[in-house]
Amino acid sequence: MSKEPVIRFPEGFRWGVAASAYQIEGGYDEDGRGLSIWDTFCRQPGKVERGETGDVAADHYHRWREDVQIMADLGLQVYRFSIAWPRILPEGTGRVNPPGLDFYDHLVDALLEKGITPLPTLYHWDLPQALQDKGGWGNRDTAHYFAEYARIVGERLSDRVQNWITHNEPFVAAVAGHFTGEHAPGLQDPFLTFRAGHHLLLSHGYAVEALRATAKQTLQIGIALNLSPVHPASESEADQQAARRYDGVLNRLFLDPILCAKYPEDIVELLGPVMPQVEPDDMRHIAVPLDFVGVNYYSRTVIRYDPDFPLIQASEIKPEGREYSQMWEIYPPGIYELLTRVWKDYRPASIFVTENGVCVPDGVDFDGRVRDYRRIRYLRDHLVQVHRAIAEGVPVHGYLVWSLLDNFEWAFGYRMRFGLTYVDFETQKRIIKESGYWFARVIRENGFNPDMAI
Ligand code: IFM
């Protein structure tokens, strides 16, 4: 890399990584933690590859000091982690578990000591099982329990933690959890799916209000949405309309209520009776003003008309002749398209890329190094596109790589490695990958030379 980066990010641009509790912590039954829906789901045969679980994961619950040191060594400025609701409230409501709060309290102090900004996410899919037993996100009360949890965490941490995210990817929580059943709680019920989606949104609004009410300083609060530009598989009218419907459910069904206080009319009409009941005040809570919107981007979505697909008559295809990671097509211009679209259509106060990254089959070489050059290329090519959006005036103020460590990739188990740091899950040894060193340099220089051969 040249000394003079050709691409330089604006002064004050924030660089970091993202992770989530169930994917890295382990310690699933320690110090009073209650069970979550993922603990239950992983134990159901056939739900997770090889029957793997997050029981131990990357053992971050015990190795967090080492992990904070890795972050400091890489020069990271922001650490987005999630708080495990069942560590704080083992039954989801009522009784607080002090050691759970202590864990995050110590983590926050350690981060601040190293000059790393903590960015907790309140919910990254690990609903307390006790609340699932009462109906989970299909139960409107869960939104109120979430506000109670937000208040408790806010009271403890908001003297030091200024930046917060309420939910991670409510679309995935609703759809993978209640429609396809690929994620916990593993249900397949269209009515429940959109009811859960609505309650997730409502709980977001309630949590923002609860955090602000208890805050000991002015907070910056946002939400992290999994968004994707949706492209039609062909120019046919049928494919284009299918893509529009898919975009409605994936993107607009979450962006519109949060940023415009309404559900998109075409989707309300399309979903008809499966649309949830919206109480008179709901939209006012859901659209509570936010300080930023978090965009999680991995790939675009290509859609064709599919008369057999329930409700939306649209399904995804994998275009031929494109480059793929182990999970998705690699499509860097998609992040530019998305950031410019979110800005143009919604004008949020600020935008953060709260997740971007790739899983490729990394291995440790004979000399102990992990040469994950494909990941470096992926990050470089996406950052070029983020920079392009910023240059055109889109207020993107930070970029977080998914993820710090290799971790438990949900139904895929440990096969998918997303980390800037390799984890040997037998020994829990960490090895910073070449991408980690590359990213550290990008942070130091606040930019890079995109023409550098990798
Ligand atoms: O690992 C997930 C994360 O939990 C949410 N966003 C996408 C990542 C990669 O699949």
Side-chain angles (χ1 to χ4, degrees), residues 20-24 28 33-49 51-55 82 84 86 123-130 132 137 168-169 172-178 180-187 408-414:
S20 91
Y22 191 74
Q23 292 178 274
I24 61 169
Y28 83 103
R33 176 187 179 278
L35 291 182
S36 81
I37 53 174
W38 271 93
D39 297 300
T40 310
F41 186 72
C42 290
R43 282 169 175 70
Q44 293 170 14
K47 298 294 188 192
V48 177
E49 286 186 13
E52 289 170 347
T53 73
D55 288 4
S82 81
Y123 187 72
H124 200 121
W125 309 347
D126 44 359
L127 185 73
Q129 179 60 43
Q132 186 60 43
W137 287 109
N168 181 69
E169 304 181 357
V172 178
V175 173
H178 304 81
T180 66
E182 292 158 296
H183 280 191
L187 304 173
F408 176 76
E409 179 54 29
W410 309 112
F412 294 106
Y414 295 96

Side-chain angles (χ1 to χ4, degrees), residues 222-236:
I223 185 167
L225 301 175
N226 59 300
L227 303 175
S228 174
V230 181
H231 295 166
S234 78
E235 284 179 6
S236 77

Side-chain angles (χ1 to χ4, degrees), residues 135 137-139 174 178 187 189-197:
W137 287 109
N139 177 359
H178 304 81
L187 304 173
D189 177 338
F191 287 90
L192 200 51
T193 302
F194 295 98
R195 200 159 70 233

Side-chain angles (χ1 to χ4, degrees), residues 136-153:
W137 287 109
N139 177 359
R140 199 177 158 94
D141 292 344
T142 303
H144 293 286
Y145 299 140
F146 188 66
E148 174 192 346
Y149 156 61
R151 178 184 51 75
I152 290 163
V153 174

Side-chain angles (χ1 to χ4, degrees), residues 40-72:
T40 310
F41 186 72
C42 290
R43 282 169 175 70
Q44 293 170 14
K47 298 294 188 192
V48 177
E49 286 186 13
R50 296 166 299 283
E52 289 170 347
T53 73
D55 288 4
V56 178
D59 198 29
H60 174 77
Y61 189 67
H62 299 110
R63 293 168 196 262
W64 59 273
R65 287 184 188 80
E66 181 185 349
D67 295 336
V68 171
Q69 187 58 50
I70 292 173
M71 292 183 233

